[in-house]
Amino acid sequence: AVFGVFNRITFPAFLLIPGLRLIPHFLNKPFSFVALASAALITTVIAIALDTAFYSSEPVTWADLISRPTITPLNFFLYNSDTANLAQHGIHPWYQHVAANLPQLLGPAAVLVFAKPHLSLRLYSAISGLFVLSIFPHQEARFLLPTVPLILSSVELPKNKIMLRTWAGAWIIFNLFLGVLMGTYHQGGVVPGQVFMSKQPDATQA
């Protein structure tokens, strides 16, 4: 979980509801919470040390970890707390994720979320993540990628054969269309761009 936070600070949003279910367990066995907190603290120190070493141009010492550590989640939070920074990437309304981004990721499966939802811990986890991420003014579809498997595993397919075939056809067409659109035209320059940058003697001046 700690590495998940260091990878993406919004990671705990998806653990909010599942984490609440652990409260009775921690109340009954407080030492388990102590063990969990201790492991999280040690992992946090390791993550900070790794990030500090990665972003430093010189060998890192213990003094560097104390005086000038690189705490990635904190830097992420400070950067995204400044509206001026977010404005450079785009400011979106609070309903952007629900109205546009999530349907774009789910396609025909979005209908099943409302028509045939399977109430599960996975679905609640997706909802909590969606709710928290909707608070932030900068919203991109990729931020919701963790919700996709959680939601898809929490819906039921139509039992009527005609409806099932219709939905399956729409699902295939949706994936083919978005696969070509997003995989080729939207993200098609990522790999060529990386290859180009790798051939430059100084990438900062490319």
Side-chain angles (χ1 to χ4, degrees), residues 75-93:
N75 294 338
F76 179 95
F77 176 78
L78 294 176
Y79 181 87
N80 287 276
S81 298
D82 190 342
T83 307
N85 292 333
L86 295 181
Q88 300 179 26
H89 305 280
I91 300 296
H92 306 96

Side-chain angles (χ1 to χ4, degrees), residues 108 112 116 156-172:
L112 301 180
K116 288 181 172 294
E156 297 181 10
L157 296 178
K159 296 181 179 180
N160 182 281
K161 290 185 178 181
I162 297 178
M163 293 184 62
L164 178 59
R165 291 176 181 175
T166 302
W167 183 88
W171 177 253
I172 293 174

Side-chain angles (χ1 to χ4, degrees), residues 26-164:
F26 290 144
L27 292 177
N28 294 329
K29 298 181 178 180
F31 286 105
S32 62
F33 176 77
V34 174
L36 178 65
S38 300
L41 179 61
I42 294 174
T43 309
T44 299
V45 173
I46 295 175
I48 293 176
L50 291 174
D51 283 348
T52 303
F54 181 81
Y55 290 107
S56 178
S57 57
E58 301 176 355
V60 176
T61 63
W62 286 105
D64 294 330
L65 292 177
I66 298 175
S67 61
R68 52 184 185 88
T70 299
I71 308 176
T72 304
L74 177 61
N75 294 338
F76 179 95
F77 176 78
L78 294 176
Y79 181 87
N80 287 276
S81 298
D82 190 342
T83 307
N85 292 333
L86 295 181
Q88 300 179 26
H89 305 280
I91 300 296
H92 306 96
W94 63 268
Y95 52 83
Q96 175 75 20
H97 277 323
V98 176
N101 294 340
L102 192 60
Q104 177 183 337
L105 293 174
L106 297 178
V111 179
L112 301 180
V113 176
F114 299 97
K116 288 181 172 294
H118 175 63
L119 301 181
S120 63
L121 187 60
R122 299 184 301 277
L123 182 60
Y124 296 145
S125 177
I127 293 174
S128 68
L130 178 63
F131 174 79
V132 174
L133 291 175
S134 296
I135 298 175
F136 297 94
H138 178 63
Q139 302 181 14
E140 297 182 30
R142 61 188 178 93
F143 298 165
L144 296 181
L145 286 177
T147 66
V148 175
L150 296 173
I151 293 177
L152 291 182
S153 61
S154 302
V155 297
E156 297 181 10
L157 296 178
K159 296 181 179 180
N160 182 281
K161 290 185 178 181
I162 297 178
M163 293 184 62
L164 178 59

Side-chain angles (χ1 to χ4, degrees), residues 9-39:
I9 194 176
T10 53
F11 179 76
F14 297 92
L15 299 179
L16 182 61
I17 294 180
L20 293 177
R21 299 187 62 180
L22 292 176
I23 294 179
H25 174 75
F26 290 144
L27 292 177
N28 294 329
K29 298 181 178 180
F31 286 105
S32 62
F33 176 77
V34 174
L36 178 65
S38 300

